[in-house]
Amino acid sequence: MKSETKINYSWQCRRGMLELDLLLNNFVNKDVDNLTSQQTEYFDLLLSYPDQTLLDLLLGNSVASDPLIATIVQKIRSTPFD
Amino acid sequence: MSSIERKPIERRQFDTLIIGAGGGGLRASLQLAEADLSVAVVSKVFPTRSHTVAAQGGMNAALANVLDDNWHWHMFDTVKGGDYLGDQDAIEYMCRAAPKAVYELEHFGVPFSRLDNGKIYQRAFGGQSQNFGGAQAARTCAAADRTGHAILHSLYQQNIRAKTHFFDEYFAVDLLKDDSGHVLGAVVFNIQDGQIVVIEAKTTLLATGGAGQLFKTTTNALINTGDGMGMAMRAGIPLQDMEFFQFHPTGIAGRGMLITEGARGEGGYLVNGDGERLMERYAPKAKDLASRDVVSRAIYIEVKEGRGCGPKKDHVLLKLDHLGEEVIQKRLPGIRQTCITFLGIDPAESPIPVYPTAHYTMGGIPTNRFGQVVIPVKDTPEEPVQGLYAAGECACVSVHGGNRLGGNSLLDILVFGRAAAKHIIDYLKENKYHKALDEEIINRVVDKVKRFDQQGETSSTGAETVVDLRNELKQAMEDHCGVFRDKDILKQGVEKVEQLIKRMKNVKIEDQSFTFNTAKVEAFELDNLMAVALATIHSAHAREESRGAHSRVDFPERDDKSWMRHSLYSFENGLDYKPVRTKPISVESFPPKPRVY
Ligand SMILES: Cc1cc2nc3c(=O)[nH]c(=O)nc-3n(C[C@H](O)[C@H](O)[C@H](O)COP(=O)(O)OP(=O)(O)OC[C@H]3O[C@@H](n4cnc5c(N)ncnc54)[C@H](O)[C@@H]3O)c2cc1C
């Protein structure tokens, strides 16, 4: 059974691009429960970004100026795929 | 999770209900809201997360900013690219309307990339020619590599300004249709809390996008589950030309993600395991910019005949490194980072492993060029369904015929989103009032919305899970309805899909709560995919020729005498056919010719 957190995130991680679906769902399934409460707030904030901005950050085309967002981005990028 | 009672059903009324907030839906809603009609747009994801956001390459219009061009050449390329299955009246309409569609987007704030002289930059895409099949044309307008994003965001902003009413994160389940065949709206539910809303509308437009999730390897996001097509089928409307599914030649091998045609447009090329530029053999003139089906098939053959790359020889390579880091970074930054993130490969240094991936649904809900959904009634092949419209990738107006050209889809959604809205505005002048909607019709559809409600832990028969069935369906479609097809493979596929549909009846959903119950949403989506799969594989099995994206090993030639016609598949009547509209609006028709590049 999925945790509450994962259920709440599962729809927010349905995006317009396959790349985002893959990166975000991989992270939510494996790592999201390990976030601190402050990091969770920033993950929520990150999910509210437009898809293209999110894609740029998660693919490393741009770097978040807010270090807390940058940390989350790094966590997502470094979650290995199966 | 405890299951709670649903809240009482809510009822709302609008002049027009639009299901889908991608480019097609939002272009239509804007037109309608600006005409002071009350418009509801329902979208299962937040509008700017619609799949249109993923379109990177651009949008075609014969602006002639880079090379000489005109709409008639664009029309020729589209007819030929579609392997003569496209309806030429709709194609003429679209190509003529293209420049205006671009100017409109500019007014809405889309920042198109520019040439040094200030005009809109246009890049070369596959299948574009000057002079009816002559030299390469440059017809694709782009806003860097984020054209879809720019279009979607501009349209969304314009809609907010025009006061379109949005139902964000609501899932549409089924259409309301009365006994005389009028469509009177739809029943939807709020994904956040399960609230059911009956939306009554004088006109309904389906703009729910494509169905790439039918296949295991796809470029499409998870949301592309063919919901509108499933809804149409359950309302007794056939789907048209579903056997024509475009496989994009350059997906990242094994993953599916798209490497845009732009990469080849900028000078990238494919090599096989022998280091040979393979497209020189398959398309001596157009080479790597030949039409998508031609390139996909070439890659398939190379791999099948043992000339693939990698330890398993299961892909070919797309070379970009000769373009130099600067060009790659400037023109194709997205691709570069995608490769680095998902493959750990920098295309400025090493080639990218690629293989065909399911990309675009050419078929869909049959419409005429005014966006009206049309079905065969007695001897008339195209009788409008009163009150129902469709536009965008879920529709088959048929401008793409058997194969879509890159850059023609964004154009399609904008041109026909607008055309549908124009027709709706006229229709509403004649049809001012809501038709009476029987409780019985509502109850029938609401029951469908509740069809996965009772099958939780308590159900003894429920043994199937959505995840397993979905994986099996996607694998079956990939194995039996992919780039290359023959009778036996397809027949086995038909049987598999029919079995899966039977098993779908026993699906079990453990989570019966109403808050963000994505399990339930996924069950509805899978139900839609099943319907679309059935139409696709039956149509593919029956079509004994090779045309466009539909390629039969056992029938390698195009057969215009028997098969220059559109397939229709419905639950009620199985397969049926109707003629292609070969007569354009104002010019001579383009008669079928062998399609060589
Ligand atoms: C990776 C990629 C790149 C592409 N690049 C290009 C390109 O460069 N040029 C080009 O011309 N074309 C391109 N295409 C194709 C093009 O992007 C699509 O065909 C087009 O955007 C489809 O637009 P649409 O409005 O029909 O649907 P979409 O944008 O897919 O929108 C569908 C909408 O329907 C809603 N919806 C669906 N089902 C339901 C439901 N049950 N209830 C409520 N709402 C629902 C969704 O929420 C969404 O809002 C590309 C496609 C892909 C996959």
Side-chain angles (χ1 to χ4, degrees):
Chain A
M1 176 69 79
K2 281 186 172 180
S3 72
E4 283 279 343
T5 348
K6 284 183 183 171
I7 286 169
N8 287 337
Y9 282 131
S10 53
W11 205 251
Q12 297 315 310
C13 294
R14 285 279 211 116
R15 312 297 289 217
M17 299 163 174
L18 179 65
E19 290 81 349
L20 293 179
D21 284 341
L22 295 177
L23 287 162
L24 293 172
N25 284 300
N26 188 46
F27 175 70
V28 166
N29 286 329
K30 291 183 182 147
D31 255 355
V32 83
D33 290 334
N34 301 328
L35 296 181
T36 65
S37 62
Q38 189 196 36
Q39 284 173 335
T40 306
E41 273 175 37
Y42 277 80
F43 182 52
D44 289 344
L45 182 61
L46 183 69
L47 288 179
S48 73
Y49 285 13
D51 279 19
Q52 188 65 51
T53 312
L54 204 48
L55 187 79
D56 284 339
L57 287 171
L58 293 183
L59 291 187
N61 282 325
S62 61
V63 177
S65 22
D66 184 336
L68 283 159
I69 290 284
T71 309
I72 308 285
V73 167
Q74 199 39 46
K75 277 181 184 291
I76 298 173
R77 274 174 67 80
S78 54
T79 307
F81 283 98
D82 298 323
Chain B
M1 288 259 136
S2 63
S3 80
I4 44 161
E5 283 300 302
R6 283 187 190 273
K7 288 190 242 164
I9 291 168
E10 217 179 284
R11 280 181 74 157
R12 302 291 297 269
Q13 281 195 334
F14 293 91
D15 289 323
T16 304
L17 163 63
I18 296 181
I19 305 176
L26 291 186
R27 181 64 193 86
S29 58
L30 179 59
Q31 190 88 2
L32 293 163
E34 284 184 335
D36 282 333
L37 296 166
S38 67
V39 194
V41 174
V42 172
S43 176
K44 64 179 175 179
V45 294
F46 189 76
T48 51
R49 293 180 190 172
S50 299
H51 196 54
T52 294
V53 80
Q56 300 175 333
M59 160 177 172
N60 297 340
L63 303 179
N65 286 355
V66 172
L67 297 169
D68 207 13
D69 206 358
N70 66 57
W71 67 263
H72 203 190
W73 299 346
H74 183 186
M75 177 182 172
F76 169 80
D77 290 340
T78 305
V79 173
K80 175 184 170 191
D83 223 354
Y84 300 91
L85 190 72
D87 288 334
Q88 296 194 21
D89 58 340
I91 297 175
E92 177 178 342
Y93 180 80
M94 178 178 82
C95 297
R96 291 183 86 123
K100 184 156 175 237
V102 172
Y103 304 148
E104 260 177 12
L105 289 175
E106 205 169 25
H107 302 323
F108 298 155
V110 174
F112 283 108
S113 302
R114 299 284 158 171
L115 294 160
D116 288 341
N117 66 9
K119 289 186 175 175
I120 292 175
Y121 166 73
Q122 297 192 280
R123 58 166 65 122
F125 249 46
Q128 301 178 348
S129 76
Q130 295 175 305
N131 251 316
F132 310 108
Q136 175 73 41
R139 194 172 287 144
T140 308
C141 311
D145 60 356
R146 52 196 57 200
T147 314
H149 163 88
I151 292 175
L152 198 58
H153 279 257
S154 307
L155 284 175
Y156 182 63
Q157 291 308 330
Q158 294 291 330
N159 270 283
I160 294 294
R161 183 190 51 75
K163 304 209 165 29
T164 299
H165 188 103
F166 282 97
F167 288 86
D168 295 340
E169 299 188 331
Y170 278 71
F171 189 91
V173 178
D174 268 302
L175 295 169
L176 293 160
K177 191 174 160 196
D178 72 10
D179 294 336
S180 68
H182 269 75
V183 170
L184 304 173
V187 178
V188 308
F189 68 86
N190 184 342
I191 296 173
Q192 205 171 345
D193 62 8
Q195 168 79 57
I196 296 175
V197 186
V198 171
I199 302 182
E200 263 184 86
K202 297 171 201 164
T203 46
T204 302
L205 170 72
L206 291 166
T208 48
Q213 286 298 320
L214 265 185
F215 295 90
K216 191 173 159 217
T217 313
T218 176
T219 61
N220 285 199
L222 298 178
I223 46 179
N224 282 17
T225 51
D227 296 346
M229 301 178 197
M231 278 184 246
M233 270 184 86
R234 284 190 299 278
I237 293 156
L239 296 185
Q240 181 175 325
D241 294 341
M242 290 306 293
E243 64 272 42
F244 296 95
F245 206 102
Q246 181 168 80
F247 295 86
H248 195 288
T250 55
I252 292 188
R255 293 267 159 88
M257 274 94 68
L258 177 78
I259 301 296
T260 152
E261 213 137 31
R264 280 168 289 137
E266 299 292 346
Y269 58 85
L270 296 166
V271 293
N272 65 16
D274 302 333
E276 178 204 6
R277 271 193 77 163
L278 58 109
M279 285 315 298
E280 289 181 346
R281 242 184 308 121
Y282 294 91
K285 205 156 73 181
K287 298 199 181 87
D288 293 85
L289 288 177
S291 167
R292 288 185 176 166
D293 56 312
V294 174
V295 184
S296 287
R297 218 146 42 226
I299 297 173
Y300 179 92
I301 294 171
E302 290 300 297
V303 167
K304 195 162 170 12
E305 294 183 352
R307 291 186 297 277
C309 306
K312 292 190 191 153
K313 297 189 167 210
D314 58 357
H315 58 262
V316 299
L317 295 172
L318 174 62
K319 247 177 82 66
L320 295 177
D321 51 335
H322 60 285
L323 299 177
E325 191 178 337
E326 203 181 311
V327 173
I328 294 178
Q329 191 52 37
K330 181 150 173 250
R331 295 251 190 251
L332 308 161
I335 288 176
R336 183 176 192 194
Q337 294 302 342
T338 302
C339 293
I340 294 174
T341 307
F342 288 97
L343 295 170
I345 286 176
D346 183 350
E349 287 162 11
S350 328
I352 313 166
V354 293
Y355 195 72
T357 172
H359 186 51
Y360 184 85
T361 322
M362 264 83 67
I365 305 157
T367 71
N368 59 21
R369 72 183 144 93
F370 309 105
Q372 292 178 287
V373 173
V374 289
I375 58 172
V377 177
K378 295 204 180 85
D379 293 334
T380 335
E382 301 192 325
E383 191 65 27
V385 176
Q386 294 303 310
L388 186 62
Y389 294 76
E393 194 170 337
C394 73
C396 183
V397 50
S398 171
V399 283
H400 309 300
N403 174 58
R404 172 186 74 110
L405 294 185
N408 262 358
S409 174
L410 288 177
L411 177 61
D412 164 12
I413 67 178
L414 293 163
V415 167
F416 292 104
R418 183 172 180 277
K422 268 174 69 180
H423 198 277
I424 289 172
I425 291 169
D426 290 341
Y427 177 90
L428 289 175
K429 284 182 193 148
E430 307 288 312
N431 298 270
K432 289 199 169 58
Y433 308 104
H434 286 273
K435 272 194 90 192
L437 176 59
D438 270 4
E439 284 301 317
E440 196 205 314
I441 297 167
I442 297 180
N443 292 339
R444 223 185 297 154
V445 180
V446 167
D447 281 347
K448 288 196 200 168
V449 181
K450 293 181 175 166
R451 70 184 179 270
F452 295 111
D453 276 15
Q454 274 86 39
Q455 291 174 315
E457 295 98 320
T458 50
S459 159
S460 55
T461 49
E464 305 284 359
T465 70
V466 168
V467 175
D468 288 347
L469 286 178
R470 186 173 56 209
N471 288 343
E472 280 187 55
L473 179 71
K474 290 166 68 125
Q475 187 71 54
M477 289 302 286
E478 183 128 327
D479 294 344
H480 295 277
C481 209
V483 178
F484 252 64
R485 304 167 172 184
D486 76 13
K487 196 174 193 71
D488 291 339
I489 292 180
L490 285 161
K491 186 157 180 287
Q492 290 160 16
V494 168
E495 284 158 15
K496 278 194 184 171
V497 171
E498 284 177 349
Q499 274 304 321
L500 286 165
I501 288 177
K502 284 198 188 118
R503 287 168 56 194
M504 185 73 200
K505 298 207 167 66
N506 292 329
V507 97
K508 172 175 170 174
I509 295 164
E510 282 189 9
D511 179 2
Q512 284 296 336
S513 69
F514 290 114
T515 5
F516 279 113
N517 189 337
T518 43
K520 211 171 265 183
V521 172
E522 286 177 15
F524 285 113
E525 291 178 331
L526 180 59
D527 224 14
N528 291 323
L529 281 177
M530 292 275 182
V532 177
L534 190 73
T536 305
I537 199 141
H538 269 293
S539 309
H541 178 240
R543 185 175 283 271
E544 299 192 326
E545 66 159 350
S546 290
R547 181 187 298 271
H550 175 68
S551 174
R552 292 277 302 249
V553 189
D554 44 353
F555 297 96
E557 299 300 324
R558 196 177 73 199
D559 175 359
D560 291 325
K561 209 160 135 248
S562 312
W563 287 105
M564 214 170 108
R565 51 186 183 156
H566 295 295
S567 313
L568 295 170
Y569 183 88
S570 67
F571 282 133
E572 292 77 11
N573 302 323
L575 279 162
D576 190 4
Y577 294 91
K578 69 174 185 185
V580 173
R581 276 175 297 180
T582 50
K583 211 178 148 357
I585 303 168
S586 73
V587 291
E588 298 268 299
S589 52
F590 291 109
K593 280 197 194 143
R595 199 166 59 111
V596 281
Y597 284 99

